[in-house]
Amino acid sequence: FGLLWIFQIAAMLPTRAASLLRAASHVSRIRTLVSLQHVSRRGFSTASDSVLVRKDQDASGKPSGVTIISLNNPKALNALTITMGERFKEVIREVSSDDTTRCVVLTGEGKAFSAGGDLDFLLERGRSTPHSNSRTMRDFYERFLFVRTLPVPVVTCINGPAVGAGMCLAMATDIRVASKAARMGVTFTGLGIHPGMAATHFLPALVGNQTAARLMLTSELVDGDEALRMGLVTQTVEPDA
């Protein structure tokens, strides 16, 4: 989606939702917004789910048009797992069919957006055959990249580390806003594996071929301000106090 079109959509939303989309990304605002004091308890999920879905409401209790999706495994820095991926795909289907949703905010619970693929899952790949791994990883990536099927703009709020497949998930969305303290990178080569989850597609499109090559070949992590200079994110904000 182009930025102009996204903000035209925002202009059609109720005032509160429109200002949320334009700022969407003050991370402090988002972290406050996703607290149960400010979000409908009639969402699609419960606190025990690996992916939370919460609907923002206006002062009268009506949906504002903004749906917040949160990766919810903060003890593991929201590492991506098969179970989380299956739930994530279900959530995307549910939100896609909800006519009251006009934009989506994607973030992570706790101190991280996502530290990437679950380490135990990745280690298990070394004990499997190449053919089996190819199928397993394709299915794993597809569950999270299903976010691309959402029919509304998606704003990712990178509230902390976004690494490897976690960064790829963020890159698959329309707009990224990051905390200045966030650390971001595609660290696949540091693990001795090929950059996956469409990293080789999204990263050059966002930052250009040379910078993409640098990030992918070195597994370098950058902070929010450097990511902004590169074009990896569109805005940075001060970290939460």
Side-chain angles (χ1 to χ4, degrees), residues 135-167:
R135 182 175 60 253
T136 298
M137 295 309 296
R138 184 172 60 249
D139 291 344
F140 177 78
Y141 293 150
E142 187 271 339
R143 293 181 184 101
F144 290 99
L145 293 177
F146 201 67
V147 70
R148 300 283 290 178
T149 67
L150 278 168
V152 296
V154 184
V155 179
T156 294
C157 291
I158 302 174
N159 52 302
V163 179
M167 188 65 221

Side-chain angles (χ1 to χ4, degrees), residues 111-135:
K111 297 180 179 180
F113 174 71
S114 173
D118 176 70
L119 184 57
D120 289 339
F121 170 75
L122 295 176
L123 290 174
E124 182 63 28
R125 306 283 58 77
R127 294 186 282 271
S128 189
T129 65
H131 178 73
S132 176
N133 278 338
S134 177
R135 182 175 60 253

Side-chain angles (χ1 to χ4, degrees), residues 38 49 75 96 105 125 134 145 148 155 160 176 179 189 221 234:
H38 294 77
D49 282 346
K75 290 183 179 179
S96 294
V105 170
R125 306 283 58 77
S134 177
L145 293 177
R148 300 283 290 178
V155 179
R176 284 153 300 286
S179 163
T189 56
L221 294 176
T234 61

Side-chain angles (χ1 to χ4, degrees), residues 189-200:
T189 56
L191 300 173
I193 58 178
H194 181 274
M197 200 155 158
T200 54

Side-chain angles (χ1 to χ4, degrees), residues 1-7 9 21 24-25 69 88 92 101-106 113 144-158 167-178 201-202 205-206 231-235:
F1 302 101
L3 285 174
L4 178 59
W5 184 75
I6 290 173
F7 291 121
I9 291 292
L21 181 56
S25 331
I69 300 175
F88 187 79
I92 297 304
T101 294
R102 297 187 181 182
C103 77
V104 167
V105 170
L106 176 63
F113 174 71
F144 290 99
L145 293 177
F146 201 67
V147 70
R148 300 283 290 178
T149 67
L150 278 168
V152 296
V154 184
V155 179
T156 294
C157 291
I158 302 174
M167 188 65 221
C168 293
L169 174 57
M171 291 192 295
T173 62
D174 302 302
I175 300 173
R176 284 153 300 286
V177 181
H201 170 75
F202 293 126
L206 290 171
L232 196 56
V233 302
T234 61
Q235 182 183 346

